[in-house]
Amino acid sequence: MRKHWWKALTVIILAYVFVAGLMSPVPKLPILHEAIRNTFFHPPLWIAMMVMLLSSTIYSIRYLRNGKLDDDLMAVEFANTALLFGILGCITGSVWAYFAWGDLWPNDPKTNGVAVGMLLYLAYFVLRGSFDDDMRRARISAVYNIFAFAVFIPLILILPRLTDSLHPGNGGNPGFNQYDADSSIKRIIRPAFIGFTLLGFWITQLRVRLRRLEINLDEVEESTKSAAIPAELQNPTNL
Amino acid sequence: MDQFTTSLTEALRQDGKIWVVIVVIAIVLLGWLYYLLRIGNRVRKVKQRLDL
């Protein structure tokens, strides 16, 4: 149980975020009204996704340094979880954008940057699927993963700040900080960042454990099969 | 269909757009649930292979 304290913490934080996110008082702003509460659920998805992508990149770098296939496994599963959070971020953002800005996908540098970034990571999975050899797949996709992260971060964090953007805190647009005089947003959004990120680690851990089991099972089945074939048939030159 | 979309949009705008928040929460929770079920499905397949 001592090893799993962080899972209990995740549950507690998420319960707090979902209950307080709906019940606590929030700044009264025109156009947004109660929809400002989406701040507690939409941005944390992106923060969690970025942490997952950073972790994935770190494991890709580790793979290139050590050559351990387990690091490649960690990298791909972190990227998988990041993709889940990214897709949910896109859908929730789209719904919120429709009711705040009047368009499901507004022409905004941040949303467009995210779309490009997600396509970059979808290409990562396509690239992985195109190799038969495990070592080649791991090496080339690790290099691609590092490149994708290096492109993704400027696309969603730097470029939107250099041009006009609808997103708060971007392109000269004021953030919510100035309306958050009594810290009613900060009190919930900060734990939400932690809770969503911890959940991402939890999901990734489950996927990694499952994948390791599948790999072990594959190896056992493979060795059972080869043991069942007579030695002469395994090496026809002995015949 | 167009009328349905309009009435749905109007309904979601009621009560200070709190229903938009409910929809967003539902999307997040359903997304996690779907992912969890997929992992559960993979666990079931591993279990079946172990039983064989």
Side-chain angles (χ1 to χ4, degrees):
Chain A
M1 188 62 199
R2 249 185 231 168
K3 268 168 63 183
H4 303 296
W5 62 269
W6 60 277
K7 292 176 185 171
L9 183 69
T10 309
V11 173
I12 293 166
I13 291 175
L14 288 179
Y16 165 73
V17 168
F18 279 94
V19 173
L22 278 171
M23 313 272 286
S24 72
V26 284
K28 303 274 177 244
L29 296 179
I31 303 172
L32 281 177
H33 304 291
E34 291 292 330
I36 195 174
R37 292 178 192 278
N38 284 333
T39 319
F40 309 133
F41 310 107
H42 171 67
L45 287 168
W46 294 116
I47 297 293
M49 186 192 79
M50 281 188 277
V51 175
M52 296 301 112
L53 290 180
L54 175 68
S55 309
S56 174
T57 309
I58 289 169
Y59 274 101
S60 284
I61 294 169
R62 272 183 61 157
Y63 172 76
L64 291 176
R65 285 171 64 97
N66 305 330
K68 285 185 191 162
L69 272 176
D70 199 56
D71 288 333
D72 176 60
L73 172 69
M74 294 289 286
V76 72
E77 293 305 344
F78 268 119
N80 256 314
T81 314
L83 199 67
L84 165 76
F85 281 92
I87 290 169
L88 290 177
C90 279
I91 301 171
T92 53
S94 211
V95 171
W96 194 8
Y98 185 74
F99 289 95
W101 302 326
D103 202 348
L104 279 171
W105 197 273
N107 191 16
D108 181 76
K110 199 152 196 154
T111 46
N112 292 339
V114 158
V116 174
M118 298 288 281
L119 289 174
L120 272 175
Y121 276 95
L122 284 175
Y124 168 70
F125 292 107
V126 174
L127 178 76
R128 286 188 69 84
S130 64
F131 290 103
D132 288 328
D133 180 37
D134 286 348
M135 302 300 273
R136 270 189 79 191
R137 175 198 295 140
R139 198 168 56 246
I140 292 173
S141 62
V143 173
Y144 180 88
N145 195 17
I146 297 164
F147 160 77
F149 186 72
V151 174
F152 188 72
I153 293 303
L155 271 176
I156 63 163
L157 289 183
I158 299 170
L159 289 180
R161 284 179 165 80
L162 300 177
T163 55
D164 289 337
S165 175
L166 291 164
H167 278 85
N170 286 260
N173 206 1
F176 286 133
N177 281 353
Q178 68 182 83
Y179 308 109
D180 193 23
D182 58 349
S183 299
S184 55
I185 293 179
K186 278 191 213 104
R187 254 200 318 265
I188 303 171
I189 199 169
R190 285 181 180 166
F193 288 157
I194 298 168
F196 278 49
T197 306
L198 286 176
L199 183 76
F201 281 115
W202 194 350
I203 292 173
T204 310
Q205 192 203 41
L206 277 179
R207 287 186 62 97
V208 167
R209 285 165 64 190
L210 185 59
R211 191 75 198 101
R212 282 182 187 145
L213 255 178
E214 286 172 346
I215 290 169
N216 279 347
L217 260 177
D218 286 343
E219 282 171 2
V220 169
E221 281 177 0
E222 199 64 37
S223 59
T224 319
K225 263 184 206 164
S226 52
I229 302 169
E232 300 85 48
L233 290 177
Q234 282 184 41
N235 191 358
T237 50
N238 291 346
L239 286 171
Chain B
M1 188 65 194
D2 231 24
Q3 199 181 356
F4 172 74
T5 314
T6 313
S7 59
L8 180 68
T9 310
E10 282 309 309
L12 289 173
R13 281 186 203 280
Q14 300 296 307
D15 305 314
K17 299 186 185 175
I18 189 70
W19 295 104
V20 179
V21 185
I22 303 290
V23 168
V24 163
I25 290 175
I27 291 167
V28 174
L29 293 179
L30 286 174
W32 288 344
L33 180 70
Y34 167 74
Y35 213 64
L36 212 65
L37 290 175
R38 266 187 55 186
I39 294 175
N41 202 30
R42 275 176 64 186
V43 171
R44 189 178 52 77
K45 280 181 187 159
V46 168
K47 210 166 158 264
Q48 276 175 351
R49 282 172 68 186
L50 280 170
D51 287 343
L52 284 174

